[in-house]
Amino acid sequence: MKKICRSVIAAATIAACSTILPVEGFAANGCGGASWYALRSKTASGERMNPAINTAAHRSLAFGTKLKVTNRKNGRSVVVRVNDRGPFIRGRVLDLSRAAAQDIGMVSSGTAKVCYEVIG
């Protein structure tokens, strides 16, 4: 289990800590919130966004990186390819294409808590 701590300096030092809990049997490279989008505009990698293909946006991973993304609520997984930058909302680690969101059962809710692992 990995623990992340961040200190904020004000009148006193306050340590804000959160624990990243991986899904059972899952070596997580990251966990957090995910959302989905289905635009057809150009992505940061230069390719056109296709909501029918399993792709994702991540803030810093290299374009073309493959990730196994697991929905922590239901245990369903999907493999996606990073082709865009984002998300830009605090607490979220991935934006998934509609197809990827459908595969892990998060289309109706719009967001989910996920863990992801770099593969291949």
Side-chain angles (χ1 to χ4, degrees):
M1 190 173 351
K2 200 187 284 186
K3 195 163 204 168
I4 296 177
C5 293
R6 174 181 53 188
S7 295
V8 178
I9 299 175
T13 300
I14 303 167
C17 298
S18 62
T19 302
I20 295 178
L21 299 172
V23 174
E24 183 178 323
F26 187 76
N29 287 30
C31 293
S35 54
W36 66 270
Y37 66 118
L39 303 174
R40 290 198 173 265
S41 57
K42 267 192 172 178
T43 65
S45 67
E47 68 182 88
R48 183 141 320 268
M49 169 63 178
N50 183 345
I53 297 174
N54 290 340
T55 57
H58 187 276
R59 286 187 203 106
S60 60
L61 289 174
F63 296 135
T65 301
K66 292 197 176 187
L67 305 173
K68 179 181 178 185
V69 181
T70 303
N71 184 332
R72 292 178 62 179
K73 186 175 182 179
N74 61 22
R76 290 168 60 182
S77 297
V78 66
V79 175
V80 298
R81 179 178 51 85
V82 174
N83 73 338
D84 204 1
R85 291 290 172 232
F88 301 107
I89 295 175
R90 176 181 272 173
R92 294 197 189 156
V93 294
L94 293 172
D95 275 336
L96 302 174
S97 65
R98 188 181 200 293
Q102 183 75 44
D103 286 351
I104 64 170
M106 62 171 273
V107 170
S108 61
S109 63
T111 62
K113 291 183 180 179
V114 300
C115 288
Y116 65 89
E117 170 185 22
V118 175
I119 60 171

